[in-house]
Amino acid sequence: MKKLLSIFIILFISIGCTSTDERDDIFKWKGTYVGDNSSVAGILNSLQNKDNLNGFELQTKEEPYGIILHYDDLSIKEDILYNATFIFALIHNADWITFTNGMQRTTITRSELHDWYGTNLNSKESTEDLVEMINRFSKDSRKIDELIETENIE
């Protein structure tokens, strides 16, 4: 019984440490540039709603640089806010992000999101910092609606 309890405690501690490490692992891509396809893909595969991500395009020919994300389903504005916050915090030269789901499109710029939060996202150093900020600002759905305006694609 004592041995079983010891194994359980070790397993519990290792799972807890792994979860924290995996959450912070996304910050290994901090300082990425839009043109770095594999790092951008790594970031996108660590974000919310990643299972519905159907592909992405990098716009790097001329400034402002941006990313177009194609989703199967993207109906939750909180996912857009979360993903945009992380992308702008981690990808140094991303100036805009367009989220599409085939029928709708939403574009957010770095300057809009910086103004909305009142802070430079590049100054954030951890997942916890970003999640805390997102949670604090996302309590007011009207404020999110002002930032995230969806348009129909014709």
Side-chain angles (χ1 to χ4, degrees):
M1 181 67 172
K2 198 176 197 182
K3 190 174 184 178
L4 182 61
L5 182 59
S6 296
I7 291 171
F8 177 76
I9 291 171
I10 290 170
L11 182 61
F12 181 77
I13 291 171
S14 67
I15 289 172
C17 291
T18 301
S19 297
T20 302
D21 292 343
E22 287 173 1
R23 279 189 310 218
D24 282 333
D25 200 36
I26 193 169
F27 267 81
K28 72 181 177 186
W29 287 296
K30 186 168 175 66
T32 292
Y33 288 86
V34 171
D36 185 348
N37 189 43
S38 61
S39 293
V40 171
I43 291 168
L44 297 177
N45 285 321
S46 299
L47 296 176
Q48 290 187 174
N49 211 359
K50 66 183 175 192
D51 294 334
N52 287 318
L53 183 63
N54 209 12
F56 65 95
E57 300 172 48
L58 304 178
Q59 303 297 314
T60 60
K61 292 188 194 262
E62 59 185 48
E63 293 186 52
Y65 301 125
I67 302 170
I68 301 171
L69 304 174
H70 302 283
Y71 288 90
D72 292 327
D73 179 32
L74 191 64
S75 58
I76 301 173
K77 290 184 177 185
E78 287 79 6
D79 283 345
I80 293 172
L81 176 63
Y82 180 94
N83 291 352
T85 301
F86 271 86
I87 290 168
F88 287 133
L90 298 171
I91 301 177
H92 177 72
N93 65 336
D95 293 311
W96 55 269
I97 306 164
T98 297
F99 298 85
T100 69
N101 69 358
M103 298 171 54
Q104 296 179 322
R105 171 179 47 223
T106 300
T107 299
I108 298 177
T109 67
R110 176 182 294 278
S111 62
E112 287 172 336
L113 201 55
H114 281 196
D115 290 348
W116 193 76
Y117 282 123
T119 189
N120 183 338
L121 295 173
N122 291 341
S123 66
K124 301 301 179 186
E125 295 294 328
S126 72
T127 299
E128 287 78 16
D129 287 347
L130 288 178
V131 170
E132 177 187 326
M133 183 177 66
I134 293 167
N135 288 339
R136 193 175 22 167
F137 278 81
S138 65
K139 291 178 182 176
D140 185 350
S141 62
R142 289 181 307 188
K143 189 170 179 170
I144 292 174
D145 289 342
E146 290 173 10
L147 173 69
I148 301 173
E149 296 178 14
T150 303
E151 62 180 299
N152 291 326
I153 300 173
E154 297 183 32

